[in-house]
Each structure stands twice: as C-alpha cells, then as structure tokens.
Amino acid sequence: MLTLPSDSIRQIQWRFAERYDLQMLVQSARGVARGTVAHMVASGERNSHEWTPAKNEMLEAFDRAGITAAFMEPEEGGFISGPKNLALALAAFELAWVDGGAATASLAGFLALAPIHERGTPEQSRHYKSLSAPPQIGEERKPWRGAFVLTEPIPYVGVDTGMLNGKARIADWRDGEEPWLQVEKRGRFITNIAFANFVTAAVASDDPRIKGSCVIILEETDEGTFDHGTPTKKLVHQLSSTGDPIFNLKVPASRIVGGYTVKDGVLVPNFNHSEVIEAVFRRTRVTVGLMTAAKLLSAVEPVIRYQRGRFRGAEGAKPGTVRYEQGIQQREDALHRLVDVWATGEAAASLGFAAARIFDELDPIEKQKTGILSERGVGSGRAELKALRESEQRAIEFLRMREQDARRAEFAADPLVQFVLKDAEANVLCPATKLWNTGNGANVMREAVSLMGGYGITEDCPGFLASKWMDAQLEATYEGPEAVQRRQLTITMTSDVFLAEFRAWTAEMRTIAATHPGTGACTLATAMRMWLWTLEHLQKATDAAGHKLYHGQRQGVTFPLVDALCWLLASRYQILDVLELEQRGSTDPSVADAAMGTAQFLSDLCHVQSARAAGEVSRICAELVFGYNEHPSWSDQACTTCCFSTDELEELEETMPGIAAMAIDVLKPNGSHPPKAGPCAGCKGAGDFLQLQNKLCTCLSGSRLAKDRAADTVSKVMIPEALDYPL
Ligand SMILES: Cc1cc2nc3c(=O)[nH]c(=O)nc-3n(C[C@H](O)[C@H](O)[C@H](O)COP(=O)(O)OP(=O)(O)OC[C@H]3O[C@@H](n4cnc5c(N)ncnc54)[C@H](O)[C@@H]3O)c2cc1C
C-alpha cells in the first residue's frame, strides 16, 4: 500500500461505489467539516458553552451543503429517496472526522424528526419534515430546528426510560371537538435546545382520560412556557447546544406522534412512548457508533506525521538519516500501537457501516412484512410475534440448507423469512455498534492521544485528538449508555434466529480461511465456537451455590458475554469488507493496483484485530466458565477426586513410571498436604472448553507476523505534506 486508503477504496469497502448521490453527500459534508467546522475548532469556538453566531452559521453551512436535507424525501425538500441510514451515517462520519459536536448538531435535528418519521401520521411527517427542510432557491424561509426530549432531571428518565415524570392532562375537551392537552415536561441534557422551534417530548398520562404514555410535538409558539433553559457546562461536543429546558404548554391532541383513537371516552395514543423511542434509537444509535470510528481513523494521518517528524531540526538528525526520515517510527512499539489504533478504527467502521446498510435493507422488507400481516388480519405486538414464529423456523431451516438444496430459491424469495433474518441481525448489530465502537473506541482513542506525547493533550494537537478522546465518552453515553446496549444484546443475541445466523457465520469464516488465511478468519472461527460453547454452557450451568448463571438480572455473566460477542462481530465485518475490496477492486481497472496493495495491508489489520478479539473472547469466557466454581479445599469431596495419597502413587508408579513426579496434590499418610489453600481446581465439565482454548492459542500463529508486516507498511506509507484541515 503506497498511500492511505482513497475514497474509491472506501466506496468499495463500505458498498457505496454505485451510489453517486452518497458520494456527493460525502464530498459536501467533508467540505463543511474540513472547512467551516475545522476553522471553528481551531479558533477556539469549543471554549464556550453558549450558542454563538459562529455555531449558528455552522447549521446554515449544513443546510447549504445538503446535510440537513439528507433526512428528507424529495417531496419534502430532500434529494435521496428511500432508506437513508447509510446516507446519514456517511455524513456523520465525515463531520465527526473533524468534530463530534458538529456531527451531533446535525444528527440531533434528525433525532427530533425521527419519532415523527418512524411513527408519525403521514400529515405530521410531511408537515414537520417540510418545515425542517432548508429553503429551496428563491424561497424566503428559515428552516425549523428540532430537539428530542426524553431525558429528565434526576431521579427520572436516564438509562431507564420507563420512569417518566413528564405529564399530559386533558386541558379542554368539548363534545365533538379535538381535545386539548396540558403538557408539562422538564428536560435534562437536551441537544439543539438553544434554538429549537419544536421538540418531540416523551410524556406519561396524568389523567384517567388519557391512556399510558406518548411522544408529543411541542412548538415554540404554543400557549404557555417554552423555556429553552440554561446551557449545560459540557466538557465535550461544545459545537452542539445542550441545555435543560422547561415546558408547560397547551397543545391540540393531534400533536401526539402517530395519532390517537378515543375509546369509551378515553384518549388512546396509537403508540406509547416506548414504542416510538425503540423505533428511533434502533437506527440512530448506529450513526453514533460510526462517529467514534471516524475519530479513530482520523487519528492515523496526524500520528504518522508526528512520529516521522519528531526529531527533524535536531543537530544529529540530518536529512537522509533514519532518525530524520523515520523519527519515532524507527521504534517497533510506536508502529505496533498505531497499527492497533488503525485496526480498531477499521473494525469499528466496518461494523457500523454494515449496521447502517442492514437497516437500509430492512426498511422496505419491514414495510412488506407489515403489509402481508395486515392482509392476513394480524395485528402488531404479540399477535405479530406469534404469526412470525413459523417464518423463524423457516429462516433457521434456510440457514442450515446446503447450497444445492432445491428449496433455497423459494425460501430466499419469502419476504417474511428475509424479514426475520435481517431483523435478527439488525437487532444485534445496532447495539453492538453503539457499545463496541464507542466504549472500546474511547479506550483506544486514549492510545492514539498517547502516541502524540505531550502534544496529544494540548489544544494544538493536530487532528484535535484530545477533544476526540473525550468526545468519544459522550458517544458512549448519550442515546443510552453502555448498560442499555448490553441489556438489549443480552436478549437479542440469544434469539434462535440470531444464533442460527451466528453458526452459519462461523462456518463461513472457516471457508474464508481456506482461501484467505491471512485475514485471521480461522482464528475468528475458533473464537466464535468458543463464545457459542460458553453461552450454551452458561445457559445450563449454575454457580457454586446452585443459582442459575445466565439470566437477565445476572449482569456479571450476561454483560461480559455481550462484550465478547461485539469483538467477534467487529472482526467479522472487517474481514468481509476486505474480501469485498479484493473481489470488486480487482475487476475495476481504475483502482485495481491500489486496491490489491491496500487489501493486503487491510488484511493484515484484520489478522491483528481477530487475534486481539480472540484473546478477549478467551479471557472473558474462561473467567465465566471457571469463575463461578468454588475453589476446592482440602477438607471437602475434592480431595477424593483430585488428590493422590502417597500409597496410591507408589502403586501407580509400578505401572506408570514417573507419575509421582507429575502429581501435584499429594496427601501424606498423616493427612498433611502441600502448603496451599486447597488442591488445584479440575476441569470437570469444561474439558471441551480447554480443548478449544488450546486450539485458539495455536490459531494465533501468524498474527504477530501480520502485525510486523502492517507496521512495516505504516512506516513507509505516503501521507500528504500537511493535514487538509487547520492544525
Ligand atoms: C451532551 C449530552 C447530550 C444529550 N442529548 C440528549 C438529547 O438530545 N435528548 C435526550 O433525551 N437526552 C440527551 N442526553 C441524555 C443522555 O441520553 C443520558 O445522559 C444517558 O442516557 C444516560 O443517562 P443518565 O445520565 O441518567 O445516566 P445514569 O442512568 O445515571 O447512568 C449512570 C451509570 O449507571 C449505569 N446504569 C444505569 N442503569 C443501569 C442498569 N439498569 N444496569 C446497569 N447499569 C446501569 C449506566 O450504564 C452508567 O454507567 C444527553 C446527554 C449529554 C451528556
């Protein structure tokens, strides 16, 4: 690989080489990010909590660049028709490459509209999206800005979105007329609030004439109080606005997102607040995960430049000397650590873009599924789950079919089977992207910062790395922190359909390993087997006190298993992207040469990452498999199975010479034993696990050679003279 991966290469890897509209969006978002946004950061605009004129101009730059309109359908003022998950993810990736707050400022507007887009009535959707679209040429109008208001002052909504304090009551309901509602809501940490013209707020009923909860649209000009609140004193994402607003407003019931019906004199929202929020976060959390991926990859170029130039200007470092040309890159550790940062960034981007794409694929299939089920008279909720059970069985059967099975085409064409498959994958990929990219990404960003030495923790650090490190922590927190993603994955990763997919993916990695051993696919396949073995073991096993290990409340068991899965998933999608690059790149003469060299390097990064993932999985699984057993003591039953007596050993020596030298836990005739707390623990019931672990260790063969190769490439790859944005 001679140069850093080009746009053409990324377009192939992340599968938008045929999407000219998305390529244009990337270019225009990049222009704003590396122009307007980068200048704002460089000139200290992050130093204020206030919403400043410069920050406001940034929103206008988003509008001009088409970023705001990327959310809308063409008839609403947008330019992309159909699903837009990948589009929004790419735009956020470009903005977060320079500044996470800028990316959030654009995403928060979409987040405000998302409840209306996902669950709103067609009229609500058209109305608010058209108002929020930037004006067309010749149109004199300011676009509306929105905020999404879920989180409330402590002790209410945070991670637990069920504890709502925001309330709605009937203010006025005249016969035959639309009811009016009095809505009270206080928000905490609400993005975009300084300038929001409307908000979508989650509230619960405080009136027997309203059922349950809902999300409701509140406008700045509604009767009552729309207090934007004071700015939050954030340490992160300062280019976005955040504050604690207060609302007490009278609004018509038609503002309930998704509408309502009236049953026996009670107003019943068509969707409760949880249903709306679930549909929203399911998609928007992917984009947040991609923001951290962008940060990691954006660190590569500044770190290389810093490392190479580190000693230039010193007396002993004359041009042409290794010290001058390579600087810190003479040192293996510096290169290896950068390889780790780069590999994490690649894996995070691959996982995130795969998640964004699957939602683009899922959106039309989901509509098809809803159509088919409503034709059959099946409602939503439990009835739908029941109706899809047969399709789940068919999906599992489909995954197990051989290539030549005559029924494959029929199953592949069944929209319900396809829905069930994609839904199971999406239900895992979204929280996995949010959890792994941001949580692990924040840790790895620290590594990136450390590679710049003292410079790394100054405002002058090229690439704004220290800000990105801190910003990554917010990405791990908002839209639901890590516990929320782990809780969700605990459920979705154990669905029968997902586990069948996971088995198929394990086999797929073995097949890939046959032709592409350099990707580390074989290591990954073994680690995937170990994860599955551990899950199945823990689902049956109990702890030393006889208590069940795998259940929702036992986060000490379920959460680490979730983390282990995320490592595996990130590695899998990273490998798949490199294969795509190799296959598609080789057939495109315009990129063939660069694609092959880059694919080789990225393949080495896959190997590095899969070895790391395997290590994490092995560590986590071993702790869970053995950690809940009581350590044996000399007094208990363990002695009868684990220990030898001196007499026994003497007898055994006759048939097995040398055994006495191997025996560790030997009881002497007087009952004394070695000076330890108890005999060493055995591996009863976990022999298969140890075999797998053994295999996994040997599967790591070659992974460090791959790291050496990758490090060598990093030390030679050409980078531009200067970063293409200030600093
Ligand atoms: C800059 C910023 C912008 C934001 N923008 C918005 C916005 O636009 N709209 C909006 O509605 N909200 C917004 N938020 C709020 C954000 O979504 C919440 O802060 C976040 O969901 C976490 O909630 P919390 O702060 O109450 O944390 P807590 O709930 O107090 O969590 C604290 C810790 O406890 C852990 N924890 C909590 N519950 C559990 C559990 N059941 N099991 C295990 N561990 C648990 C968490 O993982 C976390 O580590 C924003 C926040 C910030 C900081």
Side-chain angles (χ1 to χ4, degrees):
M1 184 175 75
L2 299 176
T3 57
L4 299 174
S6 63
D7 278 341
S8 319
I9 297 228
R10 293 311 196 187
Q11 287 158 12
I12 296 174
Q13 272 185 288
W14 300 334
R15 326 294 162 90
F16 63 105
E18 267 85 48
R19 294 282 308 268
Y20 188 64
D21 52 347
L22 300 191
Q23 292 167 22
M24 292 299 290
L25 177 63
V26 165
Q27 289 310 322
S28 53
R30 186 174 299 172
V32 179
R34 300 185 192 191
T36 312
V37 174
H39 279 102
M40 285 170 69
V41 180
S43 59
E45 205 60 38
R46 284 182 63 124
N47 296 337
S48 162
H49 303 298
E50 302 298 325
W51 188 248
T52 62
K55 293 180 193 176
N56 212 46
E57 274 168 32
M58 176 183 73
L59 297 186
E60 286 163 17
F62 293 163
D63 295 344
R64 285 193 299 275
I67 299 170
T68 316
F71 188 82
M72 319 316 175
E73 289 298 321
E75 61 274 19
E76 296 157 348
F79 55 94
I80 300 171
S81 51
K84 295 169 190 56
N85 300 286
L86 182 58
L88 301 182
L90 285 164
F93 186 88
E94 282 303 326
L95 293 173
W97 188 275
V98 176
D99 187 80
T104 294
S106 101
L107 291 179
F110 306 150
L111 188 61
L113 287 168
I116 306 172
H117 173 74
E118 295 298 337
R119 292 287 179 259
T121 62
E123 298 75 41
Q124 287 171 338
S125 187
R126 207 171 318 112
H127 181 68
Y128 287 98
K129 282 158 78 185
S130 306
L131 283 173
S132 304
Q136 307 285 329
I137 298 167
E139 217 185 340
E140 274 302 314
R141 165 176 77 77
K142 278 204 175 304
W144 276 34
R145 314 278 183 203
F148 172 80
V149 187
L150 171 63
T151 309
E152 297 176 346
I154 282 173
Y156 296 101
V157 178
V159 173
D160 183 351
T161 56
M163 287 203 311
L164 275 179
N165 188 45
K167 297 284 183 258
R169 284 186 297 278
I170 301 287
D172 199 0
W173 192 347
R174 293 187 193 158
D175 260 359
E177 287 183 23
E178 171 145 70
W180 282 76
L181 310 181
Q182 192 65 34
V183 178
E184 280 179 49
K185 171 93 182 176
R186 294 171 74 106
R188 175 169 62 115
F189 305 149
I190 303 305
T191 310
N192 270 12
I193 198 61
F195 48 82
N197 308 105
F198 73 98
V199 303
T200 38
V203 289
S205 164
D206 189 29
D207 192 315
R209 288 169 296 166
I210 305 175
K211 185 164 181 239
S213 67
C214 64
V215 171
I216 193 154
I217 306 162
L218 307 174
E219 295 181 7
E220 206 177 13
T221 51
D222 286 329
E223 183 188 330
T225 307
F226 188 115
D227 181 345
H228 297 258
T230 47
T232 307
K233 292 183 177 158
K234 284 180 295 182
L235 295 169
V236 293
H237 281 214
Q238 292 94 337
L239 293 192
S240 69
S241 133
T242 312
D244 298 353
I246 302 168
F247 308 102
N248 190 352
L249 298 161
K250 191 171 163 189
V251 298
S254 59
R255 297 279 188 77
I256 293 175
V257 170
Y260 63 93
T261 52
V262 176
K263 209 171 162 194
D264 303 330
V266 174
L267 188 159
V268 184
N270 290 337
F271 299 101
N272 66 36
H273 84 285
S274 302
E275 287 166 331
V276 178
I277 288 164
E278 195 186 302
V280 168
F281 279 157
R282 204 168 172 225
R283 289 160 176 87
T284 54
R285 282 173 175 156
V286 172
T287 325
V288 177
L290 274 163
M291 285 165 56
T292 320
K295 294 178 162 64
L296 291 161
L297 289 177
S298 78
V300 169
E301 189 187 322
V303 172
I304 294 179
R305 186 173 294 106
Y306 175 78
Q307 289 181 331
R308 291 197 187 149
R310 175 66 177 82
F311 302 121
R312 290 181 193 170
E315 272 182 27
K318 300 277 180 256
T321 61
V322 178
R323 198 168 164 76
Y324 181 93
E325 299 300 336
Q326 288 200 281
I328 297 177
Q329 292 209 331
Q330 293 169 85
R331 304 292 170 219
E332 193 173 67
D333 183 65
L335 290 169
H336 278 192
R337 282 178 193 277
L338 181 54
V339 165
D340 285 335
V341 172
W342 197 335
T344 308
E346 293 293 337
S350 292
L351 176 62
F353 284 121
R357 289 195 304 269
I358 196 128
F359 280 103
D360 276 358
E361 290 166 28
L362 186 63
D363 283 354
I365 303 178
E366 197 168 11
K367 288 199 180 87
Q368 228 181 330
K369 175 246 359 178
T370 310
I372 293 170
L373 292 185
S374 74
E375 262 174 37
R376 292 182 192 170
V378 178
S380 57
R382 273 165 192 256
E384 180 176 315
L385 289 179
K386 210 168 143 204
L388 286 175
R389 229 161 263 152
E390 192 202 327
S391 302
E392 284 172 11
Q393 289 315 312
R394 278 166 65 79
I396 293 169
E397 204 181 333
F398 177 62
L399 289 168
R400 290 186 186 143
M401 275 177 199
R402 292 180 179 280
E403 275 302 311
Q404 57 276 24
D405 195 311
R407 295 168 308 156
R408 272 193 84 84
E410 179 211 331
F411 278 57
D414 179 342
L416 292 186
V417 167
Q418 288 311 313
F419 168 74
V420 161
L421 285 171
K422 294 212 186 304
D423 193 49
E425 187 176 354
N427 283 340
V428 168
L429 285 202
C430 169
T433 299
K434 174 73 164 58
L435 173 63
W436 191 82
N437 284 18
T438 62
N440 184 53
N443 293 342
V444 178
M445 265 317 288
R446 192 207 68 81
E447 282 285 335
V449 170
S450 80
L451 293 176
M452 305 287 274
Y455 207 13
I457 37 177
T458 68
E459 283 184 6
D460 300 331
C461 178
F464 317 125
L465 297 191
S467 306
K468 287 176 182 169
W469 168 31
M470 190 76 164
D471 284 355
Q473 181 51 43
L474 175 61
E475 286 139 34
T477 301
Y478 71 0
E479 292 203 25
E482 286 145 283
V484 172
Q485 318 309 321
R486 291 190 176 110
R487 257 188 346 204
Q488 200 178 332
L489 275 161
T490 301
I491 298 161
T492 57
M493 75 183 186
T494 48
S495 88
D496 291 341
V497 177
F498 176 72
L499 289 177
E501 286 179 320
F502 190 80
R503 284 190 186 89
W505 295 348
T506 309
E508 169 202 43
M509 280 298 133
R510 289 261 185 255
T511 312
I512 290 172
T515 51
H516 294 78
T519 54
C522 203
T523 318
L524 194 65
T526 308
M528 289 168 90
R529 261 186 73 196
M530 176 181 279
W531 181 84
L532 195 57
W533 188 96
T534 307
L535 173 70
E536 286 168 355
H537 172 79
L538 294 173
Q539 281 175 325
K540 294 189 289 270
T542 54
D543 66 12
H547 300 306
K548 244 176 122 227
L549 281 176
Y550 196 94
H551 67 83
Q553 300 306 316
R554 203 131 193 200
Q555 296 179 344
V557 177
T558 53
F559 281 16
L561 258 189
V562 161
D563 293 338
L565 174 68
C566 292
W567 282 93
L568 296 170
L569 294 174
S571 246
R572 171 179 187 259
Y573 290 98
Q574 186 185 3
I575 292 174
L576 294 182
D577 278 358
V578 173
L579 292 191
E580 178 77 9
L581 175 63
E582 197 193 277
Q583 281 152 16
R584 295 283 311 276
S586 61
T587 58
D588 179 348
S590 67
V591 291
D593 281 350
M596 290 305 100
T598 308
Q600 172 59 53
F601 169 73
L602 294 179
S603 176
D604 285 332
L605 291 190
C606 288
H607 208 157
V608 168
Q609 191 61 27
S610 63
R612 177 74 209 281
E616 286 295 322
V617 171
S618 174
R619 177 185 64 77
I620 293 170
C621 292
E623 224 176 286
L624 294 176
V625 169
F626 295 102
Y628 285 98
N629 300 336
E630 198 83 69
H631 197 285
S633 67
W634 296 112
S635 54
D636 65 19
Q637 191 68 14
C639 278
T640 55
T641 51
C642 306
C643 307
F644 291 106
S645 69
T646 342
D647 295 347
E648 265 172 342
L649 274 182
E650 272 170 21
E651 246 176 65
L652 287 169
E653 236 346 275
E654 286 174 17
T655 48
M656 288 180 266
I659 189 167
M662 310 285 288
I664 304 169
D665 297 320
V666 184
L667 298 176
K668 299 223 172 96
N670 64 0
S672 66
H673 51 71
K676 304 192 292 170
C680 285
C683 60
K684 198 164 155 252
D688 290 348
F689 179 84
L690 291 179
Q691 263 184 11
L692 271 174
Q693 211 180 31
N694 244 334
K695 185 168 163 52
L696 194 57
C697 288
T698 51
C699 280
L700 295 176
S701 307
S703 60
R704 283 273 154 173
L705 297 174
K707 195 169 208 172
D708 280 347
R709 262 196 315 274
D712 186 53
T713 307
V714 169
S715 73
K716 294 182 181 137
V717 69
M718 280 189 286
I719 57 166
E721 264 316 296
L723 205 58
D724 64 358
Y725 54 99
L727 283 187

